[in-house]
């Protein structure tokens, strides 16, 4: 799902909310909540249903949901008294009331020729254009089941339009490193870079069409 509303673009596949100044950071559950509200617009979603969808198999109170709604309103510049996007239906739940329209996927967004991946032992994680979240949470795009990896550890962003691939730490406990250097801010990756996530080392690779050409074998000469 890729939709535009107001000055924002919401892309559920790349898990990005983009405003006039670029990508707007959201916590994972706040993003999930926004996708639910937008997808079901203009239907009013009950609090009990939202709690069950955002926190499956976990008991939480309404206050947790209110915190996420507050996070979304700050990100969207919205206000509860005069909502442009998220309306509170007191005693019931919330509804998305903004005018949203389909946004065409930019050329090269998916199936781009810039194919890249992370390799870990015998496993290979293909990276999609856009944001790729790495962490111990099975919901992450790159799932690393290791105790020293944070639930949401780092993010690799593939920008096929510019040809850049970058990595950033997302507040992990044990840090993110490229080689021996800690990742501070956004760091550009090159083919063959070693990305250390907690205690796990991943190798970043980019498909190179020239290097991928099959070497032609010269047939053995035959004696007369």
């Amino acid at each position: 799902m890729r939709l535009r509303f107001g000055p924002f673009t919401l892309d559920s596949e790349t898990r990005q909310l983009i405003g006039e100044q670029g990508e707007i950071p959201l916590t994972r559950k706040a993003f999930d909540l926004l996708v639910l509200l937008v997808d079901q617009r203009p239907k009013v979603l009950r609090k009990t249903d939202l709690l069950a969808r955002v926190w499956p198999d976990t008991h939480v109170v309404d206050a947790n949901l209110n915190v996420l709604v507050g996070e979304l309103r700050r990100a969207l510049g919205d206000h509860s008294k005069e909502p442009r996007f998220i309306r509170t239906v007191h005693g019931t739940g919330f509804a998305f009331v903004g005018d949203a329209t389909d946004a065409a996927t930019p050329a090269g967004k998916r199936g781009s020729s810039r194919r890249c991946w992370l390799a870990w032992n015998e496993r290979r994680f293909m990276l999609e254009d856009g944001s790729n979240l790495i962490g111990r949470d099975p919901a992450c795009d790159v799932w690393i089941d290791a105790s020293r990896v944070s639930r949401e550890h780092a993010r690799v962003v593939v920008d096929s339009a510019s040809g850049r691939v970058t990595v950033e730490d997302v507040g992990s406990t044990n840090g993110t490193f490229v080689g021996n250097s800690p990742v501070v801010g956004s760091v550009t990756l090159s083919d063959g870079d070693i990305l250390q996530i907690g205690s796990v080392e991943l190798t970043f690779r980019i498909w190179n069409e020239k290097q991928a050409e099959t070497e032609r074998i010269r047939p053995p000469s035959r004696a007369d």
Side-chain angles (χ1 to χ4, degrees):
M1 177 177 70
R2 184 178 171 87
L3 298 172
R4 289 196 183 97
F5 56 90
F8 306 102
T9 298
L10 177 67
D11 193 325
S12 62
E13 290 189 7
T14 62
R15 295 186 65 83
Q16 289 179 296
L17 175 65
I18 302 171
E20 294 177 322
Q21 303 301 318
E23 184 175 357
I24 300 171
L26 289 175
T27 61
R28 181 170 59 87
K29 291 193 179 298
F31 188 90
D32 291 342
L33 176 60
L34 180 59
V35 169
L36 279 173
L37 292 171
V38 174
D39 185 54
Q40 297 295 315
R41 67 187 189 284
K43 179 181 177 181
V44 177
L45 300 181
R46 295 181 177 275
K47 290 183 178 181
T48 53
D49 294 335
L50 290 172
L51 290 171
R53 295 284 297 276
V54 179
W55 287 275
D57 304 319
T58 304
H59 176 72
V60 294
V61 296
D62 289 358
N64 296 78
L65 182 59
N66 294 335
V67 169
L68 292 190
V69 172
E71 179 183 345
L72 290 179
R73 282 178 170 148
R74 288 190 296 274
L76 300 173
D78 205 14
H79 302 281
S80 58
K81 293 183 178 180
E82 297 181 2
R84 292 189 301 154
F85 303 114
I86 301 175
R87 178 171 69 94
T88 300
V89 182
H90 294 287
T92 304
F94 301 93
F96 187 86
V97 294
D99 291 329
T101 58
D102 290 334
T105 301
K109 188 65 177 177
R110 293 287 174 179
S112 168
S113 60
R114 192 165 185 80
R115 288 168 285 177
C116 50
W117 65 93
L118 294 172
W120 178 36
N121 296 330
E122 300 300 319
R123 301 176 64 183
R124 186 173 68 170
F125 303 95
M126 299 303 297
L127 300 173
E128 299 284 1
D129 201 47
S131 177
N132 299 265
L133 188 62
I134 306 172
R136 201 173 75 250
D137 191 322
C140 289
D141 303 294
V142 179
W143 178 31
I144 305 295
D145 189 14
S147 60
R148 295 184 182 179
V149 175
S150 297
R151 291 180 64 84
E152 294 184 356
H153 197 109
R155 178 183 293 109
V156 174
V157 179
V158 180
D159 186 348
S160 290
S162 67
R164 293 183 66 219
V165 181
T166 57
V167 61
E168 59 188 52
D169 189 86
V170 292
S172 68
T173 300
N174 293 310
T176 302
F177 297 80
V178 175
N180 295 319
S181 301
V183 171
V184 179
S186 182
V187 176
T188 300
L189 292 174
S190 300
D191 183 45
D193 279 345
I194 302 299
L195 183 61
Q196 185 171 334
I197 304 294
S199 58
V200 173
E201 289 189 349
L202 305 168
T203 303
F204 173 70
R205 299 304 311 272
I206 298 178
W207 178 268
N208 187 313
E209 293 289 350
K210 291 184 178 180
Q211 293 178 355
E213 293 179 358
T214 302
E215 182 179 355
R216 184 178 297 276
I217 300 175
R218 184 182 299 275
S221 59
R222 294 182 178 180
D224 294 334

